Amino acid sequence: MRRREGTPLRIALNQMLSDSDPRRNLEIIEAGIAEAAGHQADLVVFPEAAMARFGTPLAAVAEPLKGPWAEAVRAMSARAGLTVVVGMFTPGDGGRVRNTLLITGPGVDTHYDKIHLFDALGYTESETVAPGRQPVTFQLNGLTFGVATCYDVRFPSLFHELAARGAQAILLPASWADGPGKADQWDVLVRARALDSGAWVLACDQASPRSIGRDPGTEPLGIGRSMAVSPSGEVRHQLDAAPGLLIVDLHTTELSASPRCVAGRRGA
């Protein structure tokens, strides 16, 4: 059901905990879409690696954007009548995959391949994942959204570019690695990118395995803490570490009043 003119755009962030089995994750995603639709959401965002958690052999699960996994998500989106953003893996070059966000719903079907790969802190994503090249925006109910993925949050230039392309809100699916200081880094970086871009940043992380008593080991399996941050850097809503759903209403009046902090020049 579409929302009446003048009502806020409603976004659901589904902080799920991915399994290694893409079929099982489709069941979780289908339930999450139904829950978001029950809240009359216009858009539901799932984390990075929602198709299969990191630590899974990615080349074995990767499928093309017209493959059965993505088509199943498209069918769920169509039945619910809302837009879905979900992390998956698609075939790349040299035996690697691409870390892809599928964006599908009424009037939109596009994707974003993660540009900045997590080659840090003893983890080398680029060994198994090929980088994307192009920033991506899309339109929904008259608003412009940008997308970024996890480690992208450490690179302000991408958020500047998305804002320069008109993004009023930037969606940030993630599977943020646990470790000393990582929760503080997550909070600071998401808030900083909202300030940099003058846009809302809606960050949807994987839930923490620790929240259900599982040791994440060395894989980047998420810490939770999904959040909605205003263009002024204020955390308006935030989840804890456990699986959950965060509902965010974006008011067009507040979006139109957002500062656009993207056109700096020397001497300005």
Side-chain angles (χ1 to χ4, degrees), residues 151-194:
Y151 197 61
D152 282 334
V153 77
R154 292 186 179 272
F155 297 85
S157 59
L158 175 59
F159 290 74
H160 294 169
E161 177 61 26
L162 292 170
R165 295 183 182 203
Q168 297 155 292
I170 298 171
L171 308 175
L172 180 67
S175 186
W176 193 257
D178 201 355
K182 292 301 296 293
D184 288 339
Q185 292 173 29
W186 169 253
D187 290 354
V188 168
L189 287 165
V190 175
R191 295 178 70 187
R193 297 298 81 83

Side-chain angles (χ1 to χ4, degrees), residues 33-49:
I33 290 173
E35 185 178 8
H39 286 279
Q40 298 187 330
D42 301 282
L43 168 68
V44 57
V45 183
F46 294 90
E48 175 189 28

Side-chain angles (χ1 to χ4, degrees), residues 25-103:
N25 291 325
L26 278 177
E27 295 173 0
I28 297 171
I29 290 164
E30 184 171 30
I33 290 173
E35 185 178 8
H39 286 279
Q40 298 187 330
D42 301 282
L43 168 68
V44 57
V45 183
F46 294 90
E48 175 189 28
M51 181 188 204
R53 65 175 178 83
F54 285 109
T56 303
L58 300 182
V61 301
E63 292 185 11
L65 285 162
K66 294 297 185 181
W69 198 90
E71 291 292 354
V73 174
R74 289 188 181 95
M76 296 172 193
S77 168
R79 287 194 295 270
L82 51 73
T83 299
V84 177
V85 177
V86 61
M88 63 177 294
F89 298 102
T90 56
D93 53 35
R96 296 184 293 177
V97 303
R98 295 194 187 276
N99 188 337
T100 299
L101 296 179
L102 172 65
I103 304 156

Side-chain angles (χ1 to χ4, degrees), residues 229-242:
V229 181
S230 77
S232 63
E234 177 189 1
V235 178
R236 294 289 182 87
H237 311 280
Q238 186 167 24
L239 296 177
D240 58 16

